[in-house]
Amino acid sequence: MALSPRRAWQSNSFRVALCFSAVVVSILAGTLAVYYVEIVGTDSQRLDDYALRNSKRLQAVYEQQGEPALIAEIQQLVSDGIDSQEEIFSYQDAQGQAWAGNAIADMRHAQDSAALQDLPFEREDLRFTGRVQLTALGEGRFLIAGSDLQALTDIQHRYMKATGLALLLAVGLSLLGALAFVRLMDRRAGDIRRALRQAGQGNLQFRIAMKQGKSDEFTLLEQDINLMLEQLEHLVGGIRHVSNMMAHNLRTPLNRALHHVQSALDAPESRSQEQLEQVLEELGQLQRLFSKMLLLAEVEAGVGQHNFALLDLDQVLQEVLDYYAPLFIDRQVLLHTDLHPHCTVRGDSHLLANALSNLLDNFLKYGEQDGLLRLEIGLRVQDGAVCLRWRDHGCGVQEETLQRLAVHFVRDPRHQQLPGHGLGLSSVQAIVRLHGGEIGWRNSQPGLETVIRLPLAAEEVPSSS
């Protein structure tokens, strides 16, 4: 896709690249300026030193040996063949009459100053400018010594031309680099925008094609986006599953309740009370379902963490077991416990008791084997964590269901005929994770073993006043 100037300027990456290019060009220009000052300045200083040195020497010859010696020395200098094209020597008056030298100065431009000055000269019909030291010797005669500026001027012109070409080349390459950078950023960002558009249209299965062997910022961002899309796909799939199961679990008791209401209306008065009691039972089941779903939603949202406090998990577990003791006696449960003290955790005692109650309810519902209910519970501190092991001697869980045991509304196919909604273990897992722990299940043959690990909390020592 062609990149128009307007669209390029609207791109942040183009402006950033352009600013960076401007910095590079500025550094290059500064560097060239430093080199210019060094090269031209050094050459100019050399010419100044040459003019001053020769002017002093010739003036000394004139003062010590007189005019004939000065003329002879000038003639010797201009005829020795050393720098004869650059050096300037002249012994002349203001009207241009010369007694010695290789050029004649136009004195109309001369200044009455002891400093070096640039004067126009003429030599064999060739006009040029020289930097000279002008010394008045009396009787309207002047001693002029210096150098032709043509070589210095040529160096300046060539350097400026080369500098201009280098800066133009740098600017051109910077613009090309900025445009290439924009195209690269646009292509990489285009993949991300395409993935987000697909996600916005509901296609959560779309993934950004990853470049092999790359680990730049865009590759890491693409990996994060792909991971986000996977999580979104998983969450949306879970929401759809929950919605479908909610519809199923709500429709069945509602249909039964409506059927009982209709039957109560159609039945004789002697049987209407029985039908209404069945309606109350169905509505009570719906209320329990909504209560479980509300608790699960609150726990998964992190509600309740503000109630966390230090507590002994062994005491919480013992209180729950005491509450179920009459039911255990009635069901002739064989219970074996190995509870170590000082299993201190930070949490909400009501939520932890709710999780333990759900595990006990599941045991009483599914843990029977050959008419016996056997449960083993172990609690101890292990590897810096509080470890709770919970094993029944029932029929266990099918392997394909074991990994999805805590998913909302998932139940073992063998237990579909039993009452329940498949939210108990989901609630247990949510409560464990809320407390910073982890939970796992495995078939122990016989039975199902549940392992819960919670962070061990240090005892808080009250400060003495």
Side-chain angles (χ1 to χ4, degrees):
M1 183 177 65
L3 192 65
S4 64
R6 178 181 177 85
R7 183 168 177 269
W9 180 250
Q10 291 176 345
S11 170
N12 286 328
S13 56
F14 177 78
R15 291 199 290 266
V16 170
L18 203 60
C19 291
F20 180 76
S21 301
V23 172
V24 172
V25 172
S26 299
I27 294 175
L28 177 61
T31 304
L32 292 175
V34 171
Y35 276 106
Y36 175 81
V37 171
E38 288 293 328
I39 294 174
V40 176
T42 301
D43 202 30
S44 178
Q45 185 63 42
R46 181 182 63 82
L47 295 180
D48 294 347
D49 293 342
Y50 183 82
L52 293 172
R53 184 173 64 252
N54 283 293
S55 178
K56 290 181 179 180
R57 187 169 65 84
L58 291 174
Q59 187 178 355
V61 170
Y62 175 79
E63 292 174 351
Q64 296 173 7
Q65 303 178 26
E67 183 179 66
L70 174 63
I71 293 174
E73 184 68 20
I74 292 175
Q75 295 291 56
Q76 174 65 28
L77 290 172
V78 299
S79 61
D80 60 4
I82 301 174
D83 296 330
S84 57
Q85 296 298 320
E86 295 183 6
E87 61 186 6
I88 299 175
F89 295 103
S90 179
Y91 178 51
Q92 67 176 70
D93 61 12
Q95 288 72 36
Q97 181 180 356
W99 290 272
N102 59 356
I104 299 175
D106 187 352
M107 300 300 292
R108 292 175 300 177
H109 301 279
Q111 300 176 3
D112 188 12
S113 172
L116 292 170
Q117 51 189 297
D118 296 342
L119 292 178
F121 285 84
E122 184 175 351
R123 178 169 54 195
E124 299 177 357
D125 298 330
L126 178 64
R127 298 188 64 85
F128 60 93
T129 302
R131 178 168 297 171
V132 297
Q133 175 71 39
L134 180 65
T135 305
L137 298 181
E139 300 179 0
R141 298 185 181 189
F142 299 92
L143 171 62
I144 301 173
S147 300
D148 187 357
L149 290 179
Q150 186 62 44
L152 182 60
T153 303
D154 289 343
I155 293 176
Q156 291 176 330
H157 289 169
R158 290 175 183 176
Y159 194 90
M160 295 301 295
K161 184 178 180 179
T163 300
L165 291 175
L167 291 177
L168 286 176
L169 181 62
V171 170
L173 291 177
S174 298
L175 289 175
L176 290 177
L179 292 174
F181 181 73
V182 170
R183 293 182 68 87
L184 174 63
M185 294 297 101
D186 196 48
R187 185 172 67 252
R188 299 297 297 272
D191 295 338
I192 297 175
R193 291 198 302 269
R194 193 178 308 110
L196 296 179
R197 282 197 299 267
Q198 291 289 332
Q201 295 170 2
N203 181 16
L204 297 179
Q205 296 179 345
F206 183 85
R207 298 292 184 272
I208 302 175
M210 302 302 299
K211 278 72 176 178
Q212 296 295 332
K214 289 188 176 182
S215 59
D216 56 22
E217 294 81 356
F218 272 98
T219 301
L220 297 177
L221 179 60
E222 290 167 353
Q223 291 176 352
D224 292 339
I225 290 177
N226 283 342
L227 179 61
M228 179 193 70
L229 291 174
E230 290 178 3
Q231 292 176 342
L232 283 176
E233 183 181 9
H234 175 72
L235 290 174
V236 170
I239 291 173
R240 289 173 180 169
H241 171 74
V242 170
S243 300
N244 293 334
M245 295 306 298
M246 281 181 59
H248 171 76
N249 283 278
L250 292 176
R251 183 172 59 248
T252 301
L254 281 175
N255 287 337
R256 287 200 297 261
L258 289 174
H259 174 72
H260 291 315
V261 170
Q262 186 64 44
S263 298
L265 293 175
D266 297 337
E269 185 176 353
S270 58
R271 295 190 54 191
S272 61
Q273 183 65 27
E274 179 184 352
Q275 296 293 333
L276 291 176
E277 290 177 355
Q278 292 178 346
V279 171
L280 286 176
E281 183 180 352
E282 297 293 345
L283 294 179
Q285 184 178 355
L286 282 177
Q287 183 183 18
R288 290 190 294 273
L289 174 60
F290 278 115
S291 298
K292 290 182 178 180
M293 290 175 58
L294 179 60
L295 175 63
L296 182 58
E298 290 178 348
V299 172
E300 290 180 340
V303 176
Q305 286 185 322
H306 61 279
N307 294 325
F308 279 15
L310 290 179
L311 52 90
D312 290 330
L313 188 59
D314 53 308
Q315 294 182 4
V316 177
L317 177 57
Q318 190 60 57
E319 290 175 1
V320 173
L321 292 176
D322 292 343
Y323 178 80
Y324 277 80
L327 186 57
F328 282 3
I329 295 174
D330 184 63
R331 297 283 300 273
Q332 297 182 346
V333 174
L334 300 177
L335 176 64
H336 175 74
T337 61
D338 182 15
L339 309 182
H340 288 213
H342 309 300
C343 294
T344 307
V345 299
R346 178 174 291 277
D348 187 317
S349 59
H350 297 289
L351 290 178
L352 291 174
N354 182 279
L356 296 173
S357 299
N358 275 315
L359 291 175
L360 288 175
D361 289 339
N362 270 24
F363 160 69
L364 293 173
K365 191 181 299 182
Y366 310 117
E368 186 174 354
Q369 181 74 5
D370 298 329
L372 295 176
L373 283 169
R374 296 178 58 190
L375 178 62
E376 299 172 5
I377 302 176
L379 179 66
R380 65 180 61 210
V381 176
Q382 182 178 357
D383 298 330
V386 176
C387 183
L388 172 65
R389 295 187 181 274
W390 192 290
R391 179 190 175 187
D392 61 44
H393 288 258
C395 59
V397 178
Q398 292 183 354
E399 290 297 330
E400 57 270 19
T401 308
L402 194 61
Q403 300 301 323
R404 304 176 63 246
L405 203 56
V407 178
H408 300 54
F409 298 106
V410 170
R411 304 179 68 194
D412 192 304
R414 295 172 299 178
H415 303 150
Q416 295 294 337
Q417 75 280 3
L418 297 176
H421 303 97
L423 292 176
L425 294 183
S426 299
S427 177
V428 173
Q429 178 175 265
I431 292 173
V432 170
R433 289 181 175 178
L434 179 67
H435 287 76
E438 55 187 21
I439 185 172
W441 293 271
R442 69 182 183 91
N443 285 314
S444 55
Q445 296 180 357
L448 178 69
E449 183 178 17
T450 302
V451 179
I452 297 175
R453 294 179 62 86
L454 295 173
L456 178 65
E459 294 282 355
E460 292 184 352
V461 179
S463 59
S464 59
S465 58

